[in-house]
Amino acid sequence: MWSGLIKPIVKLNVKQQLILLFLIMISPILILNSYGNMKAEQILKRHVTNAYVELNKQNFTIISRDIDTVNKITTTVIQNPLIQQINMTGTDPILERVMRYETIEKLLASYSQGAERGDGIYYSLYIYDPDDYYFFAPNFPQVKKAGVYFFSKGEEPYWFEEAVQQKGHGYLMFAEKLSPRAENLKTLTYIRAVNNIYRGAKTIGVLVVTKMESKIGASLQTISLPEGEIYLTDLHNRVLASTTNATGEVITLPDSAEAGDPEGTVDVITSDFIYVVNNNHTLGQKLVYKIPVKALLQQQNEMKRVIQYITVAYAVFGLIIITYFWRSLMTPLQKLAFFVRKYEPGNRVPETPRRGSNDEVSVLIASTYDMARRLNGLIMYKYQMEIKQKESQLQLLYQQINPHLLYNTLESIYWKSSLEGNVESAEMIKELSKLMKISLSRGRELITLEEELEHATAYIKLQQHRYDYVFEVVWNIHPEAKSYLIPKITLQPLIENAIIHGVKNMGEDGEIIISASVEEETIRITIEDNGYKTVDYMAIEAVLNDESPNPASGYGIRNINQRIHLHFGSGYGIDYAQRKEGGTIVTVKLPKAENQE
């Protein structure tokens, strides 16, 4: 599973991997920032909404108290004897009617609050006068004026009958016009029927309190909402009072706030607004708070901007770090990769780039350039060695011209001597030509033991003819050993040492035994002599193993030993020892190597 996830990443180049690393680093911050802001916004909305729910309840209590105050005043007005003694039978004199009218006018004016400033509430009494007993009283009700208004049949206000049916229960109502003949001015009114407490439930009139929006609006203005709006509505969402100029309008509430209109307080949070609605079915009113989410979250938005600035700063900082590492680390590595791809062994290596530091990248770059230079040096050295080798081979070929010429000349002398009857001289020339032929060996360094023995036999015969030696030579050669390889001119110097330093002056008593045997993976060749001279074997050992030999000690046997080492390894070579029967025995140890040509 992990290999499947990692495999696509491995295919990306380093630049793409760094960009992916940057995105991986910054993504959790962005996700956490977004999630944190969302959760913080939800928590803030919920906490603020809960606070506004409690504030709404307190605000509704204050409004209810204001309405209750008005209700108590209307109760006092209704219970006043002057109001209760109003007689619509027409039996009392006109003067008494006039005096009663003026007295009630003053009474209602005394209860009207703020009448002098023009921003208070006004108490008015509306009485049905079908017989026009109070013809002298004005019948054009005014919103901003307290007083008593009589109306006859056909002039009855549209709300009068409804107020009578409430049987003394007061309620708020938005009125666009108090009566058909009144001025056209919208106002919030508190309406309560005035019943005669002495004559049963007979209705005297209806007490109307106008400009209630100013009193309730004052209570609403005490609540400060951030760019919010407060509405006091009836159960049909018609605005009775508000902090805006929406009195008399019908507002729209979310469906979840309207569902069933449950008693008590409900809150609804939408994407744009927070609604807190307090339903009071007893009073038939709603207190609505409408708060814009944008204004509510303005302070949080400032915090979000701070967090966003921090996120951006973190992203910029991460980008700077990535850029720094890219320029400090990846740019040199890119240049190094370009150099490695472009470099061909033998080409000129440019100067090593200097980075001004000794970090691992600098070491890698310097090592790569140095390695390229060393490789160039090795290539140059190999090239020079190959040239020298070619020169040596050419020189060898030139040198072989003379031995071939000599060999051919010796052959001609041999045939001439044979024709002239000089048999012994001819034989010596023949043996010498064999020596020349085998020593050439067509340029080969390794020849078969059979060829080497032929060379040794020719040498022995030549020496015997040359010096009239009469020593005996015994050959014990295993047939299997003849096919294995041996460095050429190995046995001849050893046989020469056996003749000169062993049997030279012994006449017929001298004996040289040449043997060859096969032992597992080894070829063992021995050359024994029965010489009588004292031999310093330690000196011979020193000559064989000394890396800086004395020229006076000779190079023959050391040359043979080194050539065997070069061809077959240090485990093989020659060894001198004293012979049990007297004399010296030299052993040549070789591996079983066959000709591969």
Side-chain angles (χ1 to χ4, degrees):
M1 176 180 178
W2 285 109
S3 60
L5 294 175
I6 295 175
K7 188 174 181 180
I9 299 176
V10 175
K11 293 182 179 179
L12 301 177
N13 58 37
V14 179
K15 182 177 181 180
Q16 292 171 336
Q17 291 186 20
L18 281 177
I19 295 175
L20 180 61
L21 174 63
F22 174 73
L23 294 178
I24 292 174
M25 290 173 56
I26 201 66
S27 296
I29 302 299
L30 298 176
I31 294 173
L32 290 176
N33 181 25
S34 177
Y35 178 76
N37 287 334
M38 181 186 69
K39 294 300 292 184
E41 182 176 321
Q42 291 177 352
I43 293 172
L44 179 62
K45 286 180 181 179
R46 176 45 52 197
H47 286 182
V48 171
T49 301
N50 292 339
Y52 283 136
V53 167
E54 296 300 322
L55 183 62
N56 186 289
K57 293 178 180 178
Q58 296 176 10
N59 195 193
F60 204 104
T61 301
I62 293 173
I63 293 173
S64 299
R65 185 174 58 196
D66 291 340
I67 295 174
D68 187 61
T69 300
V70 172
N71 186 63
K72 290 180 179 179
I73 294 175
T74 57
T75 300
T76 302
V77 173
I78 290 172
Q79 293 177 352
N80 190 286
L82 290 173
I83 302 297
Q84 291 293 324
Q85 291 175 7
I86 293 178
N87 183 7
M88 301 305 296
T89 60
T91 57
D92 48 346
I94 294 178
L95 181 60
E96 184 177 347
R97 297 179 205 167
V98 172
M99 292 179 61
R100 183 179 298 113
Y101 165 76
E102 291 180 349
T103 304
I104 295 175
E105 281 265 328
K106 293 178 180 179
L107 174 66
L108 294 176
S110 65
Y111 284 110
S112 298
Q113 303 174 8
E116 297 81 4
R117 301 189 304 270
D119 59 352
I121 59 176
Y122 303 88
Y123 289 81
S124 299
L125 180 60
Y126 289 79
I127 301 175
Y128 181 55
D129 183 15
D131 298 323
D132 200 18
Y133 290 135
Y134 289 83
F135 58 89
F136 51 83
N139 57 358
F140 296 95
Q142 300 181 34
V143 173
K144 294 184 178 182
K145 187 176 184 305
V148 183
Y149 300 97
F150 298 89
F151 59 88
S152 59
K153 190 174 183 180
E155 298 177 348
E156 181 180 353
Y158 64 92
W159 42 263
F160 188 85
E161 187 62 31
E162 179 181 357
V164 172
Q165 292 178 1
Q166 295 293 330
K167 298 180 180 180
H169 176 71
Y171 60 94
L172 285 175
M173 184 193 73
F174 177 78
E176 295 184 2
K177 197 173 184 180
L178 293 178
S179 71
R181 304 185 65 181
E183 58 182 336
N184 191 13
L185 187 61
K186 299 177 181 180
T187 181
L188 178 64
T189 60
Y190 181 82
I191 299 176
R192 184 178 180 183
V194 180
N195 295 323
N196 194 311
I197 59 178
Y198 302 110
R199 301 176 184 175
K202 187 176 181 181
T203 300
I204 298 175
V206 175
L207 190 63
V208 178
V209 184
T210 59
K211 299 299 292 181
M212 283 291 293
E213 66 269 15
S214 61
K215 184 173 183 62
I216 296 178
S219 299
L220 299 180
Q221 293 293 342
T222 59
I223 305 301
S224 177
L225 300 181
E227 300 182 17
E229 301 171 358
I230 304 176
Y231 302 97
L232 180 67
T233 70
D234 57 18
L235 295 180
H236 301 291
N237 298 334
R238 189 180 184 87
V239 178
L240 303 178
S242 70
T243 55
T244 64
N245 295 324
T247 304
E249 298 179 2
V250 177
I251 62 173
T252 303
L253 298 179
D255 294 338
S256 52
E258 295 281 3
D261 285 336
E263 183 77 16
T265 306
V266 295
D267 59 86
V268 179
I269 301 176
T270 65
S271 58
D272 298 323
F273 297 97
I274 296 177
Y275 293 88
V276 179
V277 181
N278 194 339
N279 293 290
N280 192 316
H281 291 180
T282 302
L283 297 177
Q285 299 164 2
K286 296 181 182 179
L287 182 60
V288 180
Y289 284 1
K290 182 181 179 182
I291 307 101
V293 173
K294 180 179 179 181
L296 177 65
L297 300 179
Q298 183 176 1
Q299 185 175 3
Q300 189 208 5
N301 289 336
E302 295 178 0
M303 185 180 300
K304 286 167 64 176
R305 280 195 295 270
V306 172
I307 296 175
Q308 290 171 354
Y309 292 152
I310 295 174
T311 303
V312 172
Y314 174 80
V316 172
F317 176 75
L319 186 60
I320 292 174
I321 294 297
I322 294 294
T323 304
Y324 169 77
F325 277 105
W326 179 259
R327 298 190 62 183
S328 176
L329 179 64
M330 297 313 305
T331 301
L333 289 179
Q334 281 184 322
K335 293 181 179 179
L336 178 61
F338 176 76
F339 166 73
V340 172
R341 286 194 297 265
K342 186 179 178 182
Y343 170 72
E344 292 183 1
N347 289 353
R348 188 185 70 85
V349 178
E351 183 180 355
T352 304
R354 303 295 179 187
R355 298 183 66 245
S357 61
N358 295 322
D359 57 5
E360 290 80 355
V361 176
S362 300
V363 173
L364 176 62
I365 294 174
S367 300
T368 303
Y369 276 78
D370 292 343
M371 181 179 65
R373 294 190 183 95
R374 289 195 299 271
L375 181 59
N376 282 355
L378 289 175
I379 292 173
M380 183 60 66
Y381 175 77
K382 182 180 179 182
Y383 175 71
Q384 292 174 351
M385 288 299 102
E386 287 178 351
I387 292 178
K388 290 182 179 180
Q389 184 180 8
K390 296 295 183 182
E391 291 177 350
S392 299
Q393 291 176 352
L394 185 60
Q395 187 66 29
L396 181 61
L397 291 175
Y398 281 127
Q399 290 175 358
Q400 287 177 351
I401 293 175
N402 291 332
H404 274 288
L405 179 61
L406 180 59
Y407 168 72
N408 293 331
T409 303
L410 287 174
E411 287 288 328
S412 299
I413 296 173
Y414 164 73
W415 287 110
K416 183 174 178 58
S417 297
S418 297
L419 292 173
E420 292 177 353
N422 296 325
V423 178
E424 187 175 351
S425 297
E427 287 297 326
M428 291 181 67
I429 292 171
K430 182 178 180 181
E431 298 301 331
L432 181 58
S433 66
K434 284 184 179 180
L435 285 176
M436 295 298 296
K437 180 180 179 181
I438 296 173
S439 64
L440 291 175
S441 302
R442 298 190 301 275
R444 294 177 296 156
E445 290 294 328
L446 297 175
I447 61 176
T448 62
L449 180 58
E450 184 176 5
E451 292 175 308
E452 180 67 10
L453 290 174
E454 184 180 352
H455 178 269
T457 302
Y459 172 75
I460 292 172
K461 289 181 179 181
L462 183 61
Q463 292 298 318
Q464 287 176 337
H465 284 296
R466 180 181 179 187
Y467 297 107
D468 294 327
Y469 290 158
V470 293
F471 57 84
E472 183 181 1
V473 179
V474 180
W475 300 90
N476 295 322
I477 306 300
H478 194 284
E480 183 183 351
K482 292 182 179 181
S483 62
Y484 294 109
L485 299 178
I486 183 173
K488 67 181 179 181
I489 314 178
T490 296
L491 300 182
Q492 181 266 325
L494 301 179
I495 295 173
E496 181 180 0
N497 286 340
I499 294 173
I500 295 174
H501 301 290
V503 300
K504 180 178 180 181
N505 299 317
M506 292 180 65
E508 295 178 353
D509 294 330
E511 183 183 39
I512 295 177
I513 304 172
I514 301 173
S515 304
S517 61
V518 179
E519 300 175 1
E520 296 181 355
E521 298 298 323
T522 304
I523 307 299
R524 190 175 298 275
I525 305 170
T526 59
I527 300 172
E528 306 176 49
D529 67 77
N530 59 349
Y532 59 89
K533 296 180 181 180
T534 303
V535 179
D536 188 352
Y537 296 103
M538 295 184 63
I540 295 175
E541 186 71 20
V543 170
L544 292 175
N545 298 316
D546 191 2
E547 295 182 357
S548 300
N550 185 355
S553 302
Y555 290 104
I557 60 175
R558 183 173 179 275
N559 180 277
I560 296 170
N561 198 44
Q562 285 185 338
R563 284 193 293 125
I564 294 174
H565 286 175
L566 289 174
H567 284 294
F568 303 117
S570 59
Y572 304 94
I574 64 175
D575 179 63
Y576 274 84
Q578 185 176 6
R579 190 167 174 260
K580 293 180 181 181
E581 298 83 359
T584 301
I585 178 172
V586 57
T587 304
V588 181
K589 183 181 178 183
L590 299 171
K592 294 172 64 176
E594 294 183 334
N595 193 352
Q596 301 296 325
E597 295 181 0

